[in-house]
Amino acid sequence: MNKNIYLDAAASALKPESVIAAEGAFLRESYANTGRGVCGRAAAADKMLADARFAVADFISAEYPNQVVFTSGTTDGMNRIVNIVRESCDIKTVAVSDLDHHSARMPWEHLARTGKIKLVKIPLTKNYDIDYENMPTADVVVITAMSNVLGAAQNVREIVAAARAKKRNVITIVDAAQYVAHKPINVKTWNCDFMCFSGHKIGADTGVGVMYIANSDSYNPDKFGGGMVQTISGDNWTIDASPNKFEAGTLPLTQIAGLPVAIQEWQSWSGAGDIISYMYDALSKMSHIRLLTEPDAKLISFVVDNMHVLDFGALIGAHDICVRVGNMCASWIHSAMGIDGSIRISVGPWNTMDDAKVVVDVIRGIVK
Ligand SMILES: Cc1ncc(COP(=O)(O)O)c(C=O)c1O
């Protein structure tokens, strides 16, 4: 049987042995709940959680570990932020862009449909980058740091600055689900209010994500339950400070145990560069292929003349090669480009140049 070639890192990364081992060790040897126990095992689990939070804070250059809140992923974080900011602020206008993933924009689209907020569009340049020189004025600005279709890093710092120039106390929310896999995140330099990513895109397990909150004291919690109460006496209770404030209930501890290991492994990867460049160059010479991405993008998206993307997916799948086909949960950018869907190649640390050569030969055979 052929070796399966997995070219869908942008959907979810394969898991390194070290992450599987870290989770196995936690489950076998030191599993306990956090924030509740006084025994040695519980203390060890508390330390694991504190260390993981510290590692994430360092990874995203947050000033304080308590700005790091664990979620179940980017979708969870982006939806929660909508409730968190609406609990504490009067939001009337929200700026979104066509680069957004459904997870980043749909929660706001839902409110707009029911008349609770008004959506305004951040324009894109002719290359489909965020046109921050023409930023609209809004109470909230949603920023996709890297589109999962176009793979181009956006200038988040300038976008945030442009949004603040329009409205000083604007709330800026960054979706870094794709960016995290390719570029260092620096929330301090970005100067954003919120940022989300999912662990599974960088080799951690599913079910764990990060929601960064710059000024946690300015917001009320969106969830209530165990672990977030500071004092309680009868009907009177007070809420703990962040991160407990935003982490009601039991956390995905096993996945959190694997996250710092995944971060460390992922940081040792030299990046998508050479393999993507090789395939981009080869695909650009195939006359039936229309490339949608730029040569320096972190992934390759394309369409094939007179071939439905699902047919292409099935044909290449028959060679045991996994690519992503469809609208990638990013229908707005596809509409902006005048297409229904695309084919996406994305790579991770497990991919080799040999994989790239096989894939190019197979694609040549399919599109000839
Ligand atoms: C840009 C972007 N935002 C958000 C998401 C949602 O991430 P998750 O499914 O891990 O919640 C994805 C996933 O593909 C993405 O690419």
Side-chain angles (χ1 to χ4, degrees):
M1 202 180 102
N2 287 341
K3 171 179 164 265
N4 179 280
I5 300 180
Y6 185 76
L7 296 174
D8 204 7
S12 204
L14 300 184
K15 312 306 169 204
E17 283 303 325
S18 55
V19 170
I20 298 169
E23 291 197 7
F26 176 67
L27 284 170
R28 276 190 211 98
E29 292 148 31
S30 50
Y31 184 84
N33 210 334
T34 52
R36 289 147 171 83
V38 287
C39 64
R41 247 178 121 101
D46 282 341
K47 180 168 182 324
M48 178 283 288
L49 180 61
D51 288 350
R53 201 182 303 282
F54 192 85
V56 171
D58 185 51
F59 180 53
I60 63 172
S61 294
E63 203 161 358
Y64 308 109
N66 67 3
Q67 293 170 314
V68 171
V69 172
F70 289 111
T71 63
S72 72
T74 309
T75 305
D76 185 35
M78 295 306 276
N79 275 270
R80 288 187 61 188
I81 291 166
V82 175
N83 297 327
I84 289 169
V85 300
R86 289 184 77 234
E87 265 286 321
S88 313
C89 319
D90 183 22
I91 308 294
K92 293 198 175 67
T93 328
V94 177
V96 294
S97 85
D98 284 345
L99 287 187
D100 296 334
H101 189 274
H102 293 176
S103 312
R105 180 158 148 188
M106 283 225 164
W108 297 109
E109 290 266 346
H110 171 67
L111 293 174
R113 273 199 203 178
T114 47
K116 296 194 178 79
I117 57 145
K118 185 171 169 281
L119 283 184
V120 289
K121 278 279 207 72
I122 313 171
L124 300 182
T125 65
K126 65 179 185 355
N127 288 336
Y128 302 108
D129 289 315
I130 291 178
D131 183 2
Y132 53 84
E133 284 174 7
N134 290 299
M135 206 68 191
T137 306
D139 300 320
V140 169
V141 173
V142 177
I143 302 164
T144 295
M146 181 179 287
S147 147
N148 61 325
V149 178
L150 298 177
Q154 299 302 303
N155 193 337
V156 179
R157 190 167 69 128
E158 291 300 327
I159 299 166
V160 171
R164 293 208 193 288
K166 288 283 176 179
K167 187 170 198 265
R168 194 183 43 80
N169 60 347
V170 63
I171 297 169
T172 52
I173 305 170
V174 181
D175 173 356
Q178 293 295 329
Y179 192 102
V180 68
H182 301 288
K183 310 247 321 167
I185 292 176
N186 190 322
V187 286
K188 261 195 302 222
T189 309
W190 284 356
N191 192 23
C192 57
D193 296 288
F194 292 88
M195 184 280 301
C196 295
F197 75 86
S198 306
H200 72 92
K201 305 264 190 205
I202 53 167
D205 207 343
T206 49
V208 61
V210 165
M211 172 171 70
Y212 160 82
I213 306 186
N215 302 304
S216 54
D217 290 345
S218 309
Y219 300 101
N220 293 322
D222 58 322
K223 287 183 176 180
F224 297 83
M228 51 85 71
V229 171
Q230 189 182 43
T231 59
I232 184 158
S233 160
D235 293 340
N236 293 321
W237 48 279
T238 56
I239 296 167
D240 214 348
S242 189
N244 293 355
K245 182 179 185 177
F246 298 105
E247 290 181 346
T250 297
L251 289 167
L253 297 171
T254 309
Q255 293 85 339
I256 290 171
L259 182 59
V261 182
I263 289 174
Q264 209 177 8
E265 282 264 349
W266 199 267
Q267 285 178 316
S268 65
W269 181 40
S270 57
D274 288 352
I275 299 181
I276 288 290
S277 294
Y278 172 84
M279 287 193 276
Y280 189 93
D281 191 47
L283 265 53
S284 68
K285 295 186 180 117
M286 297 183 198
S287 57
H288 297 300
I289 285 186
R290 177 155 73 91
L291 288 160
L292 306 172
T293 44
E294 296 293 320
D296 60 350
K298 301 297 180 187
L299 47 81
I300 304 175
S301 292
F302 60 99
V303 288
V304 180
D305 291 342
N306 303 319
M307 188 181 288
H308 196 281
V309 295
L310 294 178
D311 290 337
F312 181 91
L315 289 168
I316 196 165
H319 292 265
D320 228 359
I321 297 171
C322 294
V323 299
R324 177 85 193 270
V325 294
N327 73 14
M328 324 283 160
C329 303
S331 44
W332 299 291
I333 191 63
H334 284 98
S335 303
M337 292 188 293
I339 49 179
D340 293 333
S342 56
I343 302 155
R344 182 181 72 195
I345 291 177
S346 55
V347 299
W350 55 88
N351 291 119
T352 62
M353 204 46 114
D354 284 346
D355 290 349
K357 288 177 185 157
V358 172
V359 170
V360 163
D361 283 348
V362 169
I363 295 179
R364 194 175 285 117
I366 293 174
V367 304
K368 72 175 181 294

